[in-house]
Amino acid sequence: MPKLNRYLKKRETHPLEKITEAKDQENIRLTIKAIEGYMMCSCIAMGLLQLISVRYSHRVPGLFFRYLRTPSKAVVSEATVKAYLQRSIIYLFARNPHLSIIQIIHSKQEIRDVEDDSLAS
């Protein structure tokens, strides 16, 4: 597979056109689309963490649970918000079963019989 050159000149052909099999071209396109989708989700998640840290730092005293070598005045970092959410997201979901995301998660979960659990032991 040819190495992709990011800086193509106008008269050069695109490296994807050098690949003759349609299945390989489609696999490359799907891979690029998956990478771009992952990056988009990562950017959205980072933006949400920043928004939470800026807007809600003063409202949630639990955000100040970590020791920071250089503490800021009133705004916690994205890493602190991420660590807080990792610790408490399950508890927050359990307290609010009426949320639509919780109902979607419950609808996707399999309900296991007691017999299935006893087979494992």
Side-chain angles (χ1 to χ4, degrees):
M1 189 172 309
K3 186 175 180 180
L4 295 178
N5 184 4
R6 294 184 185 180
Y7 307 105
L8 288 177
K9 296 180 180 159
K10 289 184 180 179
R11 52 189 173 269
E12 289 182 10
T13 60
H14 196 273
L16 192 58
E17 295 172 2
K18 294 178 185 174
I19 298 172
T20 56
E21 293 191 34
K23 182 174 170 118
D24 290 339
Q25 285 183 345
E26 186 63 24
N27 284 341
I28 292 171
R29 280 193 196 102
L30 290 174
T31 301
I32 291 172
K33 188 175 179 180
I35 292 169
E36 288 175 348
Y38 176 79
M39 287 305 301
M40 180 187 67
C41 290
S42 297
C43 291
I44 291 171
M46 181 58 79
L48 289 173
L49 288 175
Q50 290 174 348
L51 183 72
I52 290 169
S53 80
V54 169
R55 288 226 174 152
Y56 300 107
S57 286
H58 64 283
R59 290 188 186 178
V60 182
L63 286 176
F64 294 97
F65 71 95
R66 289 173 58 174
Y67 168 75
L68 298 175
R69 186 174 56 172
T70 56
S72 65
K73 295 174 180 64
V75 178
V76 295
S77 68
E78 296 93 359
T80 302
V81 173
K82 181 179 133 306
Y84 174 76
L85 288 175
Q86 281 178 331
R87 279 188 19 184
S88 61
I89 194 81
I90 301 299
Y91 175 70
L92 294 173
F93 281 167
R95 283 184 40 204
N96 300 303
H98 62 279
L99 294 175
S100 58
I101 187 71
I102 304 302
Q103 293 171 0
I104 292 170
I105 291 171
H106 283 300
S107 70
K108 303 269 183 202
Q109 288 177 334
E110 294 179 8
I111 299 173
R112 296 185 181 230
D113 293 334
V114 176
E115 295 173 6
D116 292 341
D117 292 336
S118 65
L119 291 176
S121 58

